[in-house]
Amino acid sequence: MAEKEKTKEYYMSLALKEALKARDMDEVPVGAVVVKDGKVIARAHNLREKNQQANAHAEMLAIQKASRKLGTWCLDECDLYVTLEPCMMCAGAIVLSRIRNLYYGTDDPKAGAIENIIQIRTIKRLNHHPQIESGILREPCSEILTAFFREKRKKPKRKREDFRKNDE
Amino acid sequence: MAEKEKTKEYYMSLALKEALKARDMDEVPVGAVVVKDGKVIARAHNLREKNQQANAHAEMLAIQKASRKLGTWCLDECDLYVTLEPCMMCAGAIVLSRIRNLYYGTDDPKAGAIENIIQIRTIKRLNHHPQIESGILREPCSEILTAFFREKRKKPKRKREDFRKNDE
């Protein structure tokens, strides 16, 4: 019997698991997975603070891992699932790596580059446009971020500057 | 006697040297350096083909190296010199890493995100805006790219698909 096809919600739940790992490390909780032919080939979560790298976003790390695994920068048969709407940098990386389908959980009104601060589908000169679907497991993808920042606000000011919501 | 202050052209000439290294590896010739307190703290060039990573642009690699050197993602006392106008991904990384001044050599009408396909200064919601100056050593920064693609067009088609100008 053929294996039952996995749903988008299934893959997003794996991205959410990654976001939980980030949260447990006191990183802004965003997670991502890359899927090819139904198989998860890369998983990653935000590691900005641990790595002290501004570009260590979940999507960037997942794309890097996927390319390492496949031995090519061109991920045109791959889909990316990420819990939060990608920022400008990550949207650019998604275009450059030719990701086929982008699925994301919740919007980022402050930094999202898909529907918010810019709308990549309106930039006609980009040489690749992924298919895009948002709102996959929107509630839990949003709630994990809300809870994280609620908790941060309770903590002493000393730590707060490290977790500016705008950065994710 | 105090050391003579270096000019922007001097730092861009180092970025150009990086671009030449890329060219010699058959990579699209773009180079970048990061400068802090007058010292070059990171140098990098495009390595997309060698690394098989879509995000191995000169700017991204230079920012990563600078953060590794300084031990922080926050490069707000650093200036970035890059031979070509940054793409959307690199513009995003420049914003996220809080680069203070961005100097670039030549425009990229097909993918440049500073003045061309998008104009980052018009995106008011970005939480950081670097100072930007373009046209530093414009001629040699442009010429190295023109010569590279002219050479590519002479070579057999087989190789051409690996060097789509739009990607840089």
Side-chain angles (χ1 to χ4, degrees):
Chain A
M1 204 169 73
E3 199 189 356
K4 199 177 155 190
E5 204 180 328
K6 304 288 200 307
T7 62
K8 295 169 198 167
E9 287 74 18
Y10 168 76
Y11 294 116
M12 191 62 83
S13 75
L14 301 181
L16 256 173
K17 270 192 191 172
E18 289 297 314
L20 288 170
K21 288 185 203 168
R23 183 199 64 186
D24 293 347
M25 298 169 73
D26 219 20
E27 299 274 358
V28 173
V30 180
V33 299
V34 176
V35 176
K36 181 174 188 286
D37 301 330
K39 286 200 183 102
V40 175
I41 61 163
R43 300 164 193 250
H45 52 84
N46 177 33
L47 283 173
R48 188 183 75 162
E49 301 303 323
K50 178 170 180 285
N51 291 5
Q52 286 296 314
Q53 291 284 353
N55 60 9
H57 282 193
E59 303 94 308
M60 297 295 282
L61 299 173
I63 286 172
Q64 278 174 12
K65 283 184 185 179
S67 281
R68 211 174 302 137
K69 188 137 184 178
L70 299 178
T72 175
W73 62 261
C74 185
L75 305 178
D76 58 357
E77 294 176 354
C78 297
D79 302 333
L80 178 74
Y81 291 78
V82 55
T83 56
L84 182 66
E85 181 185 359
C87 72
M88 189 162 74
M89 172 185 72
C90 292
I94 287 162
V95 169
L96 289 171
S97 61
R98 313 274 204 275
I99 290 283
R100 186 177 54 180
N101 293 300
L102 164 66
Y103 300 104
Y104 64 92
T106 190
D107 272 29
D108 185 351
K110 288 191 178 170
I114 308 302
E115 288 292 338
N116 281 283
I117 66 165
I118 55 175
Q119 298 82 37
I120 61 164
R121 73 177 180 290
T122 66
I123 309 174
K124 302 297 179 203
R125 277 186 284 176
L126 290 176
N127 61 355
H128 171 68
H129 282 274
Q131 291 291 313
I132 298 169
E133 191 177 329
S134 65
I136 320 286
L137 300 187
R138 187 192 306 271
E139 287 290 314
C141 289
S142 171
E143 177 49 29
I144 189 175
L145 283 158
T146 311
F148 179 81
F149 289 110
R150 193 191 303 129
E151 208 52 41
K152 284 288 153 215
R153 281 190 293 272
K154 287 187 196 162
K155 289 191 179 168
K157 279 238 172 180
R158 180 181 65 77
K159 287 291 283 178
R160 283 190 56 193
E161 64 186 10
D162 295 337
F163 294 94
R164 295 168 222 167
K165 190 167 183 181
N166 280 344
D167 295 330
E168 265 299 322
Chain B
M1 205 169 75
E3 198 187 357
K4 199 178 156 190
E5 204 181 328
K6 304 286 201 305
T7 62
K8 294 168 199 168
E9 288 73 18
Y10 169 75
Y11 295 116
M12 191 62 83
S13 75
L14 301 181
L16 255 173
K17 270 192 191 173
E18 289 297 312
L20 287 169
K21 288 185 202 168
R23 184 199 63 187
D24 293 347
M25 298 169 73
D26 219 20
E27 298 274 357
V28 174
V30 181
V33 299
V34 176
V35 177
K36 181 175 186 286
D37 301 330
K39 287 200 182 101
V40 175
I41 62 164
R43 298 164 194 251
H45 52 84
N46 178 32
L47 283 173
R48 187 182 75 164
E49 300 304 323
K50 177 168 181 284
N51 291 5
Q52 286 296 313
Q53 292 284 353
N55 60 10
H57 282 192
E59 304 94 307
M60 296 296 280
L61 299 172
I63 286 172
Q64 277 173 13
K65 283 184 184 179
S67 281
R68 211 175 302 135
K69 187 137 184 179
L70 300 178
T72 176
W73 61 261
C74 184
L75 304 178
D76 57 359
E77 295 177 352
C78 296
D79 302 333
L80 179 74
Y81 292 78
V82 56
T83 56
L84 181 65
E85 181 184 1
C87 72
M88 189 162 74
M89 172 184 71
C90 293
I94 287 162
V95 169
L96 289 171
S97 60
R98 312 275 203 275
I99 290 285
R100 185 177 55 180
N101 293 300
L102 164 66
Y103 301 105
Y104 65 91
T106 190
D107 272 29
D108 185 350
K110 287 191 178 170
I114 308 302
E115 288 293 338
N116 281 282
I117 66 165
I118 55 175
Q119 298 83 35
I120 61 164
R121 72 177 181 290
T122 66
I123 310 173
K124 302 297 180 203
R125 278 186 283 176
L126 290 176
N127 60 356
H128 171 69
H129 282 274
Q131 291 291 314
I132 298 168
E133 191 177 328
S134 66
I136 321 286
L137 300 187
R138 189 193 305 270
E139 288 290 314
C141 289
S142 171
E143 178 49 30
I144 189 175
L145 284 157
T146 311
F148 179 81
F149 289 110
R150 193 191 304 128
E151 209 51 41
K152 283 289 152 214
R153 281 190 294 272
K154 287 186 197 162
K155 289 191 179 169
K157 279 237 173 182
R158 179 182 64 78
K159 287 290 284 179
R160 281 190 57 193
E161 63 187 10
D162 296 336
F163 295 94
R164 294 167 221 169
K165 190 167 182 182
N166 278 343
D167 295 331
E168 266 297 326

